[in-house]
Amino acid sequence: MHGEHTDERSADSACVIDVDDLPDGLVVTDRDGHVLTVNRAATRLTGVTRDQAAGRHLRDVFSFRDHDGRDWWKWLDTYGGLPTRSRQPELPLRTPGGQEMLVAARLVRRPARGGEVVRVVITLRDAGARARLERSRADLVSTVAHELRSPLTSVKGFTATLLAKWTRFTDNQKLVMLETVNADADRVTRLITELLDVSRIESGRLEIHRQVVDIPARARKIIAGRVAAGEPEDRFRLEAAGELPETWLDQDKIDQVLANLMENAVRHGRGTVTIAIEPNEWGVTVSVRDQGEGIPPELATRVFRQFWRGNARRRGGTGLGLFIVKGLIEAHGGTISVQRGPEGGAEFRFMVPTGTPDFA
């Protein structure tokens, strides 16, 4: 029996979670509103440390107010309301300094149902992050509407014209219009594929199907495809080390990464596009660089964001390609960065790990 109790205590202690490990801000008060603890995330959000807050009343330390200026703690009214009330839904509140946060509360009762409030657990989240996410989604909807309007207008216009006046056009005129419809349909398909990739990346639902991938062979295949589509053969140069470690990757997604980086180099750069592949201490490094103007250092942190288009004078694409590239590389456990290349242009460098995956 003694051994069983010891095991139970050990199991219980193993389940204890340090409040500083929580990703959201946490403030715990007693029933009267005096602060018992503040976790590290809450300190990061508010600048108030545990030592500064402990023992003081919540309104003296944080003083959360709603958009009408009402005292949130007074409004929470821990003594009032139904005895079964256990939570306060998340609300946007402001601190005296004007910082906006999303604040929710849980009323801990003893006994749990209908008892008196003994503690109040308050969670804090940065409202700015929520606002940025909402703006990003609004931008995504706006971009999709804009990008779809042009090709769909073209498809509809040419199709309607051909149906109404088929006999008035020569075979060459019909061919040109049908080729345009086909190209615009491909553009819509690419956009939808990119949007699905963005959705999977943001939701964490991106699936990686690993197999042994010969990265130089994949790069040669993509170069050959671009040359067959009309690019000059001397526009591309492949530099691959003689021996590379075995890499288990998702072949389709690595093809997508290489194709997007080459497309970016051709569209926004100049001169020869070089793809350099070499081993590193934990995997393989792939660099794609051009001889164009490069990317200013102050913009290096922006290039992997959604809707980044590089040189505004050279429109083209949705601005989602590099965001998707970053998501695909990180899903493989790798990293990607951009810097100035040895010949002055932009150099995108990604690293993927070697070794066999754990199929267990």
Side-chain angles (χ1 to χ4, degrees):
M1 291 293 291
H2 178 74
E4 291 178 4
H5 287 303
T6 302
D7 291 342
E8 288 175 3
R9 285 196 299 270
S10 299
D12 289 342
S13 64
C15 293
V16 174
I17 298 175
D18 188 338
V19 295
D20 285 333
D21 292 336
L22 299 175
D24 291 334
L26 181 77
V27 178
V28 182
T29 76
D30 63 17
R31 62 178 301 204
D32 298 316
H34 295 99
V35 177
L36 301 175
T37 190
V38 176
N39 77 344
R40 188 178 294 126
T43 296
R44 186 170 59 250
L45 286 171
T46 66
V48 178
T49 66
R50 185 176 301 156
D51 292 340
Q52 291 171 331
R56 300 174 63 190
H57 197 279
L58 182 79
R59 65 164 63 97
D60 296 330
V61 183
F62 299 104
S63 187
F64 297 125
R65 295 187 178 275
D66 66 15
H67 289 278
D68 295 323
R70 293 179 297 179
D71 181 346
W72 178 75
W73 178 263
K74 184 178 180 180
W75 185 51
L76 181 64
D77 188 15
T78 57
Y79 293 101
L82 295 173
T84 56
R85 185 170 64 109
S86 63
R87 60 185 293 272
Q88 171 63 48
E90 188 174 71
L91 294 171
L93 302 177
R94 285 195 173 94
T95 64
Q99 183 179 8
E100 187 169 347
M101 294 186 190
L102 299 171
V103 181
R106 180 170 183 81
L107 306 179
V108 181
R109 297 179 180 272
R110 291 290 182 269
R113 188 168 183 81
E116 292 188 353
V117 174
V118 295
R119 277 193 315 280
V120 180
V121 179
I122 302 164
T123 58
L124 313 175
R125 293 198 295 160
D126 182 8
R130 172 78 65 85
R132 287 192 294 273
L133 178 60
E134 290 176 352
R135 285 197 300 271
S136 175
R137 287 174 176 168
D139 288 343
L140 184 61
V141 171
S142 176
T143 298
V144 170
H146 175 78
E147 293 293 334
L148 285 175
R149 185 182 296 116
S150 177
L152 289 179
T153 299
S154 170
V155 168
K156 175 63 177 175
F158 279 121
T159 303
T161 300
L162 286 170
L163 287 172
K165 304 175 182 180
W166 179 266
T167 58
R168 299 186 187 182
F169 297 109
T170 66
D171 288 345
N172 285 338
Q173 290 172 324
K174 293 174 185 175
L175 179 62
V176 169
M177 285 190 278
L178 288 173
E179 286 176 340
T180 303
V181 168
N182 185 60
D184 284 333
D186 287 343
R187 181 177 165 188
V188 171
T189 301
R190 284 195 301 271
L191 175 60
I192 292 171
T193 301
E194 287 183 343
L195 293 173
L196 289 173
D197 287 336
V198 169
S199 174
R200 293 186 184 108
I201 290 168
E202 289 188 329
S203 64
R205 294 185 291 107
L206 193 66
E207 295 183 359
I208 300 297
H209 304 286
R210 295 182 184 269
Q211 65 185 80
V212 177
V213 173
D214 184 340
I215 299 178
R218 306 316 301 171
R220 279 192 289 270
K221 182 176 184 296
I222 294 168
I223 291 172
R226 295 199 66 97
V227 171
E231 293 280 355
E233 189 171 355
D234 59 1
R235 182 77 194 270
F236 302 95
R237 180 170 65 227
L238 178 62
E239 299 175 355
E243 291 189 19
L244 293 169
E246 185 177 87
T247 51
W248 286 72
L249 309 168
D250 188 310
Q251 181 170 287
D252 290 339
K253 291 178 173 57
I254 291 300
D255 283 356
Q256 188 175 354
V257 167
L258 292 170
N260 279 6
L261 291 178
M262 288 186 207
E263 173 68 20
N264 184 75
V266 169
R267 177 176 292 158
H268 299 291
R270 291 198 303 268
T272 302
V273 176
T274 301
I275 301 92
I277 306 169
E278 57 189 352
N280 61 55
E281 60 184 355
W282 57 276
V284 173
T285 299
V286 181
S287 300
V288 179
R289 51 183 181 257
D290 60 69
Q291 299 171 324
E293 300 172 0
I295 297 172
E298 64 270 18
L299 298 180
T301 59
R302 304 182 192 177
V303 299
F304 297 109
R305 296 178 185 175
Q306 293 181 24
F307 314 120
W308 187 84
R309 293 177 182 269
N311 192 331
R313 293 171 297 175
R314 299 179 186 176
R315 290 297 298 265
T318 60
L320 297 174
L322 293 177
F323 174 83
I324 293 171
V325 163
K326 184 174 185 289
L328 296 179
I329 291 299
E330 291 179 347
H332 282 86
T335 59
I336 186 167
S337 61
V338 62
Q339 60 194 32
R340 190 172 183 82
E343 297 177 274
E347 178 178 1
F348 287 85
R349 175 180 295 181
F350 70 85
M351 292 181 281
V352 287
T354 187
T356 57
D358 182 7
F359 290 106

